[in-house]
Amino acid sequence: MKIPKSEFIKIFAGQFWSKLGDSLIPVSMNLRPIKNVFLGNLYDEITNKKYYPDLPRGYIVSDKHNRVSRIVPVFDYRDSCTYFFCVKQLEDAIAVNRVDGTFGGWTLGNPIKQKEEVEIDDLPISGIPPNTYNPVKWSNNWRDFQKRTYQYFLKGNFTCFLKFDIANFFDTINLRILEDKIRLATPKEQSFVVELLFHFLQNWNRGFERYSRKTVGIPQDEIGDCSRILANFYLQDYDAFIKNLCDKNSAVYLRYADDQIVMSNNRDVALDILFAASKELFKINLNINSSKVEEFSQHEFLQYWAFEIFENLENEQDGQKANMAIQTYFDWLGKGVNFRSDSVLKRIITVVAKNVNILDPHLRYRLFAKIYEPNFLVTLEYWWLNKLAAIIGDKNELYKVLDAQMTKVRFNQYHYTLLKFYKKWRQSYPENDILKCIDELSIKME
């Protein structure tokens, strides 16, 4: 490895190292390594070809959709740092050729984000996933995608809108194809780093796949930025193909991560593009999730994205518009409108958390009744529960609802989140009951 040890250690400055110690699966203070000593030892281990991935120290199980599990491995410091180092070293080579209209490919060093900033202004969004070590970059990229979608909607006068995503995206990425793509994009001097990266990707899951090398799938680990960068790079050739096809047919292609949108003035053209997309994805071992393909008219698309509501929530100090947005939210729920209701509710929470007094009295009860619904509360990450705690005076009702879900929820992400939340906000809480649920719901290796 050509990089000096001092430069290797500098790579891990800032938020990434802090995130390692802030895991949902707690790391005891006495087990947290001394940073520079640990990184120096890891450098020697990698340089001397002695590095081999450990087993994940745990798995977080979350609700992907409709009670389908998403399994998130939690790596130890050693493997997390190795993965981060590899992607950090390669990012300048794999962060080029971003296809216009695609988002989510910002890098740890951020060159690709600079290109996106030329194109887009800011627009507020509603939420941030837990598996990113840099929530600001995630937030900026998502609102850029949302803003671009709105711009094309206003300017294009399209009549047919298709929304679709990739089935089990991260889990079906072919490692051989990914490695070939990375080797083509990177200079020969980076061969050692590429080998180290795929040594990790092929061997981290041997707790279940044993000693056979993993050939398909990259981990949606707790600090998901590394896998996100690789996944976005994996789709760049596909992006270029679909963008070119859309341009030829006067259509628009937009993508954030694996969420994709095609806008067209002709329904048959839009469906032909979807068909072509499915064939092109098949070439790299991917498939469109057929159950999640949605077709919208112009009016339906406008409502689905809730542009009107988000626009009224843009100025967090404008109480009149905020209340209009909240009223619209409840009106749409009552009418059964298909829109991103949970995202809207989270955005409302963000606005209200900054000034709870902006709420009109007749909306206050309805809003808090909605927030306290168990089906919503159990989906909230630690960050959102903190937002709630900040605007609630007497939290006993909140604790009562949360406690009642402990034995009902089958996804341990909820219990890990609850444990972390209670440690911060609640003096006396049922810690042993939560730990018991975590143990019963944990994924155990044979």
Side-chain angles (χ1 to χ4, degrees):
M1 188 160 61
K2 295 182 179 180
I3 182 173
K5 183 182 289 189
S6 59
E7 293 300 313
F8 177 84
I9 293 174
K10 287 180 182 178
I11 288 172
F12 303 94
Q15 292 173 308
F16 175 76
W17 186 264
S18 300
K19 180 72 174 180
L20 291 177
D22 194 36
S23 170
L24 264 188
I25 300 181
V27 180
S28 300
M29 291 299 296
N30 61 340
L31 294 179
R32 297 185 184 185
I34 300 171
K35 182 178 178 180
N36 286 1
V37 174
F38 167 81
L39 291 173
N41 291 336
L42 178 59
Y43 176 88
D44 293 338
E45 191 178 358
I46 292 172
T47 303
N48 295 322
K49 321 297 190 300
K50 295 182 178 180
Y51 169 78
Y52 197 86
D54 289 323
L55 299 177
R57 63 186 186 86
Y59 295 86
I60 297 171
V61 184
S62 62
D63 188 353
K64 184 177 181 180
H65 183 63
N66 288 338
R67 300 204 174 208
V68 175
S69 297
R70 173 180 282 122
I71 312 298
V72 177
V74 178
F75 300 123
D76 62 15
Y77 277 74
R78 183 170 161 275
D79 293 329
S80 292
C81 288
T82 301
Y83 195 18
F84 182 84
F85 163 73
C86 290
V87 176
K88 180 72 174 173
Q89 291 299 104
L90 299 173
E91 65 181 2
D92 287 344
I94 64 177
V96 295
N97 300 322
R98 185 185 75 84
V99 173
D100 183 44
T102 63
F103 298 88
W106 77 93
T107 69
L108 307 173
N110 217 23
I112 203 167
K113 183 62 176 70
Q114 293 170 3
K115 291 186 67 179
E116 292 176 0
E117 285 173 342
V118 173
E119 303 167 359
I120 303 292
D121 296 322
D122 286 337
L123 185 72
I125 65 159
S126 60
I128 300 165
N131 64 330
T132 175
Y133 89 94
N134 194 327
V136 173
K137 288 181 182 178
W138 191 97
S139 175
N140 288 341
N141 272 254
W142 174 257
R143 67 177 179 233
D144 289 350
F145 171 68
Q146 187 180 33
K147 180 64 177 287
R148 172 62 71 89
T149 302
Y150 191 36
Q151 288 174 339
Y152 274 119
F153 175 85
L154 292 175
K155 295 177 181 178
N157 195 31
F158 298 108
T159 57
C160 181
F161 301 81
L162 294 180
K163 177 181 175 292
F164 56 98
D165 66 14
I166 298 170
N168 303 314
F169 179 31
F170 281 52
D171 294 333
T172 52
I173 288 175
N174 184 293
L175 294 183
R176 180 60 182 271
I177 295 174
L178 177 62
E179 182 175 0
D180 288 345
K181 287 176 177 288
I182 290 178
R183 288 193 182 278
L184 284 172
T186 54
K188 289 184 178 180
E189 304 86 75
Q190 295 282 26
S191 292
F192 179 88
V193 177
V194 176
E195 291 166 5
L196 179 62
L197 171 63
F198 282 90
H199 174 64
F200 167 76
L201 291 176
Q202 291 168 349
N203 293 287
W204 68 267
N205 199 34
R206 67 185 184 281
F208 295 105
E209 299 184 39
R210 298 186 288 187
Y211 283 102
S212 60
R213 286 191 172 188
K214 189 174 180 65
T215 60
V216 176
I218 59 177
Q220 287 185 274
D221 56 307
E222 191 182 22
I223 305 175
D225 284 332
C226 293
S227 290
R228 173 193 49 75
I229 291 167
L230 296 179
N232 191 77
F233 172 72
Y234 192 73
L235 289 178
Q236 283 189 349
D237 292 334
Y238 163 80
D239 288 334
F241 174 86
I242 299 300
K243 175 66 164 58
N244 182 56
L245 184 61
C246 285
D247 288 347
K248 288 180 179 179
N249 288 277
S250 301
V252 165
Y253 168 64
L254 297 171
R255 178 179 67 80
Y256 183 93
D258 65 327
D259 290 323
Q260 301 169 65
I261 297 170
V262 169
M263 306 180 187
S264 175
N265 285 316
N266 186 309
R267 182 174 184 267
D268 290 336
V269 167
L271 293 175
D272 285 344
I273 292 171
L274 177 66
F275 178 65
S278 65
K279 292 195 296 183
E280 196 67 18
L281 286 171
F282 177 77
K283 296 176 183 178
I284 52 174
N285 202 56
L286 302 176
N287 292 284
I288 290 173
N289 188 341
S290 60
S291 67
K292 294 179 69 176
V293 176
E294 295 184 80
E295 181 179 345
F296 301 90
S297 67
Q298 195 175 65
H299 179 66
E300 290 168 340
F301 190 75
L302 181 65
Q303 286 192 317
Y304 175 80
W305 281 90
F307 293 127
E308 172 190 342
I309 297 179
F310 282 116
E311 194 168 19
N312 281 332
L313 293 169
E314 184 173 359
N315 183 351
E316 296 167 350
Q317 302 304 316
D318 192 330
Q320 182 178 1
K321 286 190 174 181
N323 281 283
M324 287 173 57
I326 297 170
Q327 184 63 59
T328 302
Y329 165 77
F330 283 114
D331 289 346
W332 285 9
L333 285 180
K335 295 175 182 177
V337 173
N338 177 25
F339 73 108
R340 297 163 56 225
S341 56
D342 280 358
S343 294
V344 169
L345 184 53
K346 288 179 179 180
R347 177 60 186 159
I348 291 171
I349 291 172
T350 301
V351 172
V352 173
K354 294 188 176 182
N355 184 8
V356 70
N357 294 321
I358 68 170
L359 276 173
D360 286 346
H362 76 283
L363 291 175
R364 182 186 295 264
Y365 173 79
R366 293 185 72 185
L367 179 61
F368 279 92
K370 188 66 182 175
I371 288 172
Y372 279 3
E373 288 183 359
N375 287 342
F376 176 70
L377 281 180
V378 299
T379 67
L380 295 182
E381 293 93 8
Y382 173 72
W383 187 82
W384 286 108
L385 287 176
N386 279 332
K387 283 278 187 185
L388 280 183
I391 64 176
I392 294 172
D394 184 357
K395 301 176 184 59
N396 287 324
E397 183 62 26
L398 174 64
Y399 296 153
K400 182 179 178 181
V401 177
L402 293 174
D403 287 350
Q405 302 310 306
M406 268 195 291
T407 58
K408 298 177 182 178
V409 176
R410 309 310 298 163
F411 304 96
N412 69 16
Q413 181 184 29
Y414 174 73
H415 304 87
Y416 279 122
T417 301
L418 196 62
L419 187 64
K420 187 175 182 178
F421 174 69
Y422 279 171
K423 282 182 178 180
K424 178 176 180 179
W425 291 95
R426 194 173 177 183
Q427 288 186 343
S428 178
Y429 61 93
E431 181 176 9
N432 290 335
D433 292 340
I434 299 174
L435 292 173
K436 180 181 178 182
C437 289
I438 288 174
D439 181 64
E440 290 175 350
L441 297 170
S442 65
I443 296 179
K444 295 179 173 62
M445 289 174 284
E446 296 180 358

